[in-house]
Amino acid sequence: MRVGILGGTFDPIHLGHLLIAEEARTTLGLDKIVFIPTGEPWLKRDKVISSAKMRLEMTCLATEDNPDFSVSNVETQRSGPTYTVQTLRELRGFSETYTNPFFIVGMDSLRELHRWNDPQGILELCTLVVVDRPG
């Protein structure tokens, strides 16, 4: 199974996120897209964000009408800062479905990838898909 992962703060999740996910799914021939709201986004410590529970609920509501979308609470159930590399390792342990996921990020996130925890590890655990965003 070819799985795409779209992680983010999703505060709030919006139509742009849904369009990016669907475009990646159809363009890359992915079987499904898994949305993963961040638990405690350590790169946004200086910003006020909604609770992880609220952002998870918003993401579930926004994706419920698309059978090709699902939502994982893998990060929102974890305490402390959440790191993408940790999530990818954990998902790989859950199922072979996540052996080589397609991790979808915006161009803005790619520019900051060097600041993420273990960017080399991330690149070893997934196929990175970069989406150009307006602005």
Side-chain angles (χ1 to χ4, degrees), residues 19-30 33 68:
L19 291 172
I20 286 169
E22 184 62 17
E23 184 68 23
R25 190 189 68 76
T26 58
T27 300
L28 299 171
L30 304 177
I33 301 290
D68 298 317

Side-chain angles (χ1 to χ4, degrees), residues 50-122:
S50 300
S51 72
K53 180 182 179 201
M54 183 180 289
R55 293 180 291 104
L56 177 66
E57 289 173 4
M58 285 189 289
T59 305
C60 288
L61 287 170
T63 60
E64 70 184 359
D65 290 336
N66 188 326
D68 298 317
F69 292 171
S70 65
V71 179
S72 171
N73 68 349
V74 68
E75 288 197 1
T76 57
Q77 69 181 357
R78 201 181 298 143
S79 62
T82 48
Y83 303 104
T84 299
V85 70
Q86 179 184 10
T87 300
L88 291 171
R89 286 185 183 124
E90 191 172 335
L91 289 173
R92 182 175 276 199
F94 286 160
S95 165
E96 286 186 22
T97 300
Y98 298 104
T99 300
N100 188 26
F102 293 79
F103 189 71
I104 305 161
V105 299
M107 184 64 76
D108 55 329
S109 294
L110 179 65
R111 287 189 196 104
E112 296 293 317
L113 191 64
H114 67 282
R115 296 183 58 217
W116 292 23
N117 182 270
D118 192 6
Q120 185 60 42
I122 293 170

